Amino acid sequence: MNQFDVLIVGAGPVGLFLAHEMVRRQVRSAIVEQEPGQSEHSKALAVMPRTMEVFEMAGIVEPFRRTATPARFARIVAHQRELARIAFDPQNCDYPYVAMIPQNVTERLLAERLAAAGGAVEYETRLVGFEAAPDHVVATLEHGGEQRSVTARFLIGADGAHSTVRHGLELPFAGSEYDQSFVLADVELAGPLAGDEFHLCPSERGPLALFPVSANVWRIVATVPDELGTTSPDLELLRALLADRGPAGVEASRLIWSSGFRVHRRQTSQMRAGPVFLAGDAAHIHSPFGGQGMNTGLQDAWNLAWKLRLVLQGLAGDKLLDSYSHERHAVARDVIAQTDFITRAMGTASAAAQFLRDHLLPLVTRLPAFQDRFVQTLSQLAVHYAGSPVVVGEGRRAVNVRLTLSDGGHPVRLYQLLDGRYLLLLVGGPEDETRRITADLAARYGEAIDVRRVESLDGVVRVELLRPDGYLAFEEEIRQPAVAPALERAAARVVALLDGHLLGASGPTPDTAARSAPRSSALPPAASPSASASAPHHPR
């Protein structure tokens, strides 16, 4: 087969996860990788709580849960003195830890899930080049010295920092390189280290971090003098780094794997160019401190997958695809800024900054507000899509709460209801009115939306529109005495939002969709999406 809906270039974690989602969503797709197989090195290690939630929604979380070494505390140590110990316990999340899983294991698990779903990677297959038309891409692939042409509706570049796809688009990769070199190493350590902690060790000679890989194996991440270049560190250098910057009494006994490298902070100006998309390191790279890189890329894939499916099924328009770059570019920009701040703050040579850090950090980190922000940011649970063209309001993550549906049956968890379509929850309200709205919206948007009536446990009536990726596109509480008219107005605001990028059951264009509701509908003419009101509140 040389014709596909989606061609994915690169079989790292991002490409593998996206390929799994394409197969799971029954999208005709292919994934190619120029290497002969998956990486044997651990590289990225931390799988954050939001990524675990994403894996749950994708139906693949269990092998990751079983494999992970959970890190439940962040310990900050400077000059062998503990400055802070923060419980990594995000609220309203079923994964109150950082799941430590070496990248080679993550890739193996994703490749196994892809194979179980019926997909496969074409290894030793290189993208030579491509030509993009407005509605498709013709790519040239090379395998075994032979070339072939492949036509795809969409091309996804998940091929890393030296992305062939990005170069083919001639997109600049703006940013700069850090002055220091960095080292990664997996080492057997002995000493007073708790297996459920990770350690951040600031130093005027450069930062160092320790993460548990298994019972006695730890990942070391550190900067080293620039003159060492990208030489892989030996055991003696690692012992010196630990003695100089690490916690007291920690000794390295055996080196398992190490690598030296330079780190850049760079980002493309956009993540979509017509039918071509970039994801992961192909679009953004940054410091490894914070463990954000792989997670950001995996959530690029999660954001893009459902949008591609709806468009390929003829259920959504081009505006939905544009929202990918709008949303994920902003997230990556923030991640680059956050990891840059962590790296610089942990390695500052300023005596004044060190004094403030060593004396203020023990006080600040005791504040619940600081702890919550630290955990929510690092876990990526704080990611939101406010300002997106396909969102009204905060665009925040929906909590996986337990719901009681109005049609009876056992209570369900929210994420169980997400099936690739939008999910509209009508929480409480008059039965006749919610039934009419349910029927009208289902008829209007056909296969693109699932509408559910939910019992309100606190007596508050709500309208909430969830995207297939578990983020809220719209939310409104209804507290007016006249509930039925307010419900109709809220439903009209949902219609106004969806008509901008979804196509109705009979295929109206975005320009005509707002006028397509029949007069007998319970939904009045669509109001402006900006009319959304009331404080957000997720159903409990």
Side-chain angles (χ1 to χ4, degrees), residues 120-457:
V121 180
E122 293 184 43
Y123 292 107
E124 298 182 286
T125 302
R126 182 173 67 94
L127 175 69
V128 177
F130 62 90
E131 294 290 335
D135 61 351
H136 70 280
V137 175
V138 178
T140 301
L141 303 178
E142 182 179 79
H143 175 81
E146 296 184 359
Q147 294 187 356
R148 76 181 198 271
S149 291
V150 170
T151 301
R153 176 68 182 85
F154 299 111
L155 172 66
I156 318 298
D159 49 344
H162 302 288
S163 171
T164 301
V165 176
R166 187 185 68 244
H167 286 300
L169 293 173
E170 298 183 348
L171 285 175
F173 208 24
S176 59
E177 184 179 68
Y178 283 94
D179 295 333
Q180 314 101 315
S181 294
F182 286 69
V183 295
L184 289 181
D186 288 348
V187 181
E188 287 187 0
L189 296 183
L193 294 175
D196 62 349
E197 295 178 340
F198 60 93
H199 299 72
L200 305 175
C201 305
S203 167
E204 61 274 20
R205 287 175 291 280
L208 178 143
L210 296 175
F211 302 95
V213 178
S214 62
N216 63 337
V217 176
W218 289 73
R219 163 68 52 81
I220 299 176
V221 184
T223 60
V224 294
D226 191 50
E227 59 267 20
L228 292 179
T230 58
T231 303
S232 296
D234 58 20
L235 188 59
E236 292 308 311
L237 174 58
L238 295 169
R239 283 173 170 165
L241 291 172
L242 285 169
D244 182 43
R245 310 177 200 172
V250 176
E251 179 69 24
S253 59
R254 185 171 74 92
L255 173 62
I256 298 170
W257 169 82
S258 69
S259 176
F261 56 98
R262 300 303 299 260
V263 170
H264 299 245
R265 50 191 183 278
R266 298 186 183 277
Q267 185 175 21
T268 57
S269 58
Q270 61 198 68
M271 295 174 68
R272 180 195 180 195
V276 184
F277 297 81
L278 299 174
D281 287 356
H284 44 76
I285 54 175
H286 49 77
S287 166
F289 285 100
Q292 301 293 292
M294 181 179 68
N295 293 274
T296 304
L298 288 167
Q299 292 177 55
D300 288 346
W302 183 240
N303 184 287
L304 181 59
W306 66 273
K307 297 175 179 178
L308 291 174
R309 174 187 173 272
L310 288 179
V311 170
L312 287 167
Q313 287 189 325
L315 300 173
D318 204 59
K319 184 177 179 180
L320 186 62
L321 294 181
D322 280 341
S323 72
Y324 167 72
S325 184
H326 186 286
E327 293 174 354
R328 296 307 299 171
H329 187 275
V331 170
R333 180 193 62 220
D334 290 347
V335 168
I336 291 171
Q338 292 158 6
T339 55
D340 183 58
F341 174 79
I342 292 171
T343 302
R344 295 183 183 279
M346 287 181 61
T348 180
S350 165
Q354 292 172 46
F355 178 85
L356 289 174
R357 178 194 65 207
D358 294 351
H359 288 80
L360 290 182
L361 202 59
L363 302 175
V364 172
T365 53
R366 294 188 188 131
L367 299 175
F370 177 91
Q371 294 178 8
D372 181 66
R373 183 172 181 179
F374 174 83
V375 171
Q376 292 293 115
T377 300
L378 202 63
S379 65
Q380 298 203 349
L381 295 170
V383 167
H384 62 86
Y385 295 128
S388 167
V390 296
V391 165
V392 170
E394 295 183 2
R396 63 187 175 90
R397 153 189 168 263
V399 177
N400 189 23
V401 294
R402 188 175 298 276
L403 301 173
T404 300
L405 302 181
S406 296
D407 56 5
H410 296 291
V412 298
R413 300 295 295 276
L414 177 61
Y415 292 174
Q416 292 176 262
L417 298 178
L418 296 175
D419 61 0
R421 297 177 291 172
Y422 275 85
L423 173 65
L424 185 73
L425 297 180
L426 300 173
V427 185
E431 181 176 348
D432 290 346
E433 189 66 26
T434 55
R435 285 189 183 278
R436 283 198 301 273
I437 292 173
T438 297
D440 287 336
L441 284 168
R444 187 183 189 98
Y445 296 112
E447 295 300 316
I449 189 169
D450 179 22
V451 188
R452 300 293 187 109
R453 296 172 55 247
V454 180
E455 298 290 343
S456 176
L457 301 182

Side-chain angles (χ1 to χ4, degrees), residues 467-479:
R467 303 172 2 154
D469 58 357
Y471 288 89
L472 283 155
F474 175 92
E475 51 185 334
E476 183 171 336
E477 287 189 2
I478 296 173
R479 297 182 177 273

Side-chain angles (χ1 to χ4, degrees), residues 49 52 65 70-73 87-99 375 381:
M52 294 291 280
R65 192 202 299 264
R72 302 180 186 275
F73 296 91
F88 201 89
D89 185 19
Q91 300 301 304
N92 299 316
C93 178
D94 294 332
Y95 306 95
Y97 52 83
V98 180
V375 171
L381 295 170

